[in-house]
Amino acid sequence: MSPPCSSYESMHRLGDARRRWASCRSQSSCFAYNTRPSPIVLKTNSAMDGSSSEPKNMDASFSASRSGPYSGSCHPSGTIGVMGASSTSSLRFLERFVCWSTRDGEEAPPFVICNDPLIKKELLSSGTQITSDCNITLGKLMKKRLFLEQSGASCIVMPCQFLHAWHDEISHGCLVPFLHIGDCVVKELKAANLKPVEYGSNVRVGILSITTSTTNLYLDKLESQGFEVVCPDNASMEHTVLPSVNAFRKGDMEGARNLLRVSLQVLLVRAVNTVILASDDLVGILPDDDPLLKKCIDPLDALVREAIICARTL
């Protein structure tokens, strides 16, 4: 049997696309997600003067990137392949991808999506060990990746952060660019040219996650680029981070927000420049106007921006 996949291609005019995705945004509001870009990686005039939450230099970066690292791909279609294990994260990715890519009047790049929420459950049940069941699940993901390649995808993304713990295994043998969310975040942090909060120290980046595997996919890449990584200690994980996610899943938004604010403050007092919200659950807890979000990164934002660059380069 073929995997439960659907194909979509943006063939409507800008007005239709905006109306369609505006409807999606209103329907998905119960998830408490939104299309704001992470402020820490947008060191542009618009981010500094507060005149807009949109990155003014996006078009310039896209234009400059047309001769960038994706220009030599053998798939010239500019189609993005989206491989998901969570309907929520896949929707959030596509929502921003269409909204941001049509902002300058261009049509949104075409995309193909293959989403199977059972995959994440199977990987979670196997834990961090590569068991026979885990290998079977990874084999399913590789088949889905091959499906996207054969469907004409010239670049592949995985919106679900959890899957990136197995990025190397899933992307093995891939013939098109397969974006890693950690690489996208580190690239933007380097471009932001951050200065240390404390004189004489390195730039510190906090990682807030609920699994060791997700923490590690950012930790190694950040440290290799000279960033000092700060993570919550065991006490913080036990008393604030994990309880915050549990409260969120139970619908206790006030409790979840209070606990998450404490978790973030504990990292910020350790002189971190910014905190990566390395869990899809953590991203939707705080309200849009919470000042602490100015110190946080939603990794999906970086992945969306890099996917648009990739699509417009090919």
Side-chain angles (χ1 to χ4, degrees):
M1 294 179 62
S2 60
C5 305
S6 303
S7 299
Y8 301 90
E9 188 167 13
S10 54
M11 302 177 63
H12 299 287
R13 294 189 178 276
L14 175 61
D16 293 334
R18 284 176 174 168
R19 285 192 294 273
R20 182 172 64 255
W21 287 94
S23 175
C24 289
R25 280 195 292 273
S26 64
Q27 293 174 18
S28 63
S29 60
C30 59
F31 296 113
Y33 293 131
N34 57 80
T35 57
R36 66 175 186 277
S38 301
I40 191 66
V41 295
L42 302 179
K43 296 297 183 180
T44 64
N45 291 336
S46 62
M48 299 301 290
D49 62 19
S51 60
S52 172
S53 61
E54 314 288 352
K56 289 184 180 178
N57 67 340
M58 183 175 283
D59 294 339
S61 65
F62 288 160
S63 299
S65 69
R66 293 182 188 271
S67 59
Y70 308 118
S71 58
S73 171
C74 59
H75 288 258
S77 66
T79 299
I80 297 298
V82 182
M83 186 159 62
S86 164
S87 299
T88 302
S89 60
S90 296
L91 174 62
R92 290 174 56 229
F93 176 88
L94 291 173
E95 185 179 26
R96 299 178 194 190
F97 181 75
V98 171
C99 178
W100 296 357
S101 64
T102 57
R103 177 177 295 148
D104 57 1
E106 294 190 27
E107 293 287 346
F111 55 86
V112 182
I113 180 170
C114 184
N115 189 78
D116 184 358
L118 294 179
I119 291 291
K120 185 175 181 179
K121 294 180 180 179
E122 293 174 6
L123 288 173
L124 282 171
S125 65
S126 66
T128 58
Q129 302 298 320
I130 303 297
T131 62
S132 58
D133 289 341
C134 181
N135 283 328
I136 292 174
T137 303
L138 292 176
K140 293 178 182 178
L141 284 167
M142 293 182 71
K143 289 181 180 179
K144 295 178 187 299
R145 188 212 75 206
L146 184 60
F147 164 83
L148 293 174
E149 290 184 72
Q150 293 174 342
S151 299
S154 52
C155 176
I156 296 176
V157 300
M158 293 190 297
C160 179
Q161 296 189 64
F162 177 75
L163 288 185
H164 285 264
W166 292 273
H167 181 276
D168 290 346
E169 291 84 355
I170 300 168
S171 63
H172 181 72
C174 189
L175 300 178
V176 300
F178 196 130
L179 301 185
H180 190 294
I181 198 167
D183 290 332
C184 298
V185 170
V186 172
K187 176 183 176 181
E188 293 198 348
L189 283 171
K190 292 287 288 186
N193 195 27
L194 301 174
K195 304 301 181 184
V197 175
E198 289 184 345
Y199 179 77
S201 66
N202 294 327
V203 173
R204 294 174 182 165
V205 178
I207 301 178
L208 207 57
S209 177
I210 59 175
T211 64
T212 303
S213 58
T214 310
T215 298
N216 289 340
L217 72 88
Y218 291 103
L219 188 149
D220 295 338
K221 294 181 180 298
L222 287 166
E223 289 185 337
S224 68
Q225 294 298 317
F227 293 102
E228 183 178 340
V229 178
V230 179
C231 299
D233 56 23
N234 291 334
S236 295
M237 290 296 298
E238 180 181 354
H239 298 296
T240 61
V241 181
L242 295 178
S244 173
V245 173
N246 290 335
F248 174 64
R249 291 173 177 173
K250 293 176 181 178
D252 178 12
M253 292 305 297
E254 182 178 359
R257 288 170 176 173
N258 290 337
L259 288 166
L260 181 55
R261 290 184 181 110
V262 173
S263 303
L264 291 171
Q265 292 288 3
V266 169
L267 291 177
L268 292 172
V269 297
R270 296 170 67 181
V272 301
N273 291 72
T274 185
V275 178
I276 299 173
L277 298 178
S279 170
D280 296 328
D281 288 310
L282 294 170
V283 170
I285 295 178
L286 294 180
D288 295 351
D289 58 354
D290 195 299
L292 284 174
L293 285 179
K294 296 180 180 180
K295 286 289 187 178
C296 297
I297 292 176
D298 179 355
L300 193 67
D301 290 349
L303 184 66
V304 170
R305 283 188 283 267
E306 193 67 16
I308 297 174
I309 290 173
C310 187
R312 291 190 172 179
T313 301
L314 298 171

